[in-house]
Amino acid sequence: MTAITRATTADTALCAAIVAQSFAELPQTAWLIADPADRLPALTADFAILVEHALAHGHVDLIGDHAVAVWFDRTGAAIPAPANYDARVLAATGRYAERFHALDSAFEANHPAEPHHHLALLAVAPAKQRQGLGEALLRHHHAHLDSRGVAAFLEASTPESTRLYLREGYAPLGEPYPLPDDGPTMWPLWRQPA
């Protein structure tokens, strides 16, 4: 297995591309971007905003060009929105920007206030899935969190990913919730430090 490294700004495009490819077939993606032809370009551009922001307010772990975990540190002061966020989302997603903002609002409404690290994105390139890379990224960061007594939070997007996180020490945090306009379900999960 390739070593886990800490991503830098030079890796932003690579990280965004891994996430976009991994997430392209999720129900949440179809809800966000109705036209399949628009999905990869819009997702890649939008995820680049998120990855760049995490590099400033958390960190990003990378396994080669195969897998990425995007974490935000929410143990201190509130994290500001990315600079020029609305304009950048519009430039990235075009006619789908309203849906992306609805997703942001749903996430914010269901985000816990307690100090934690937030796993915003965990993605493995489709050809490398089911080979333990996601688990390796989780365990790597969980060891860091456990050594500091810090909890973790995430929103799982499918029952399958929820099962992965449950195996890695997460537990449901409240009830699953649907995205607006009859959108797909999200599963909020919380991990206490070991």
Side-chain angles (χ1 to χ4, degrees):
M1 182 186 309
T2 306
I4 296 172
T5 60
R6 187 92 170 243
T8 69
T9 54
D11 300 309
T12 300
L14 170 64
C15 293
I18 293 170
V19 180
Q21 291 164 12
S22 174
F23 285 20
E25 301 302 320
L26 291 176
Q28 290 79 3
T29 303
W31 175 82
L32 282 169
I33 305 167
D35 187 341
D38 294 338
R39 285 189 193 145
L40 271 180
L43 287 175
T44 303
D46 186 70
F47 288 137
I49 299 168
L50 197 60
V51 169
E52 179 185 281
H53 200 50
L55 289 168
H57 298 283
H59 80 268
V60 179
D61 288 326
L62 192 57
I63 297 179
D65 58 359
H66 307 310
V68 61
V70 177
W71 292 91
F72 285 92
D73 183 346
R74 291 183 174 250
T75 60
I79 296 174
N84 305 311
Y85 184 62
D86 289 350
R88 292 175 71 192
V89 169
L90 181 60
T93 65
R95 61 190 170 126
Y96 305 106
E98 187 175 319
R99 273 286 164 96
F100 278 80
H101 288 304
L103 180 67
D104 289 341
S105 295
F107 282 167
E108 191 60 35
N110 290 280
H111 205 104
E114 296 82 5
H116 62 278
H117 277 203
H118 174 207
L119 179 60
L121 304 166
L122 178 66
V124 178
K128 295 292 184 176
Q129 291 176 2
R130 294 177 176 73
Q131 296 180 25
L133 299 182
E135 291 93 336
L137 285 168
L138 286 171
R139 291 172 186 170
H140 174 77
H141 195 67
H142 290 164
H144 168 71
L145 295 180
D146 291 347
S147 72
R148 295 175 53 214
V150 175
F153 171 75
L154 61 86
E155 302 94 348
S157 55
T158 65
E160 180 182 29
S161 65
T162 300
R163 288 190 290 274
L164 161 69
Y165 296 122
L166 294 176
R167 287 194 307 270
E168 296 299 323
Y170 288 81
L173 182 67
E175 294 297 318
Y177 63 91
L179 295 177
D181 302 321
D182 298 319
T185 299
M186 300 299 301
W187 286 265
L189 301 171
W190 184 264
R191 181 185 181 273
Q192 286 294 117

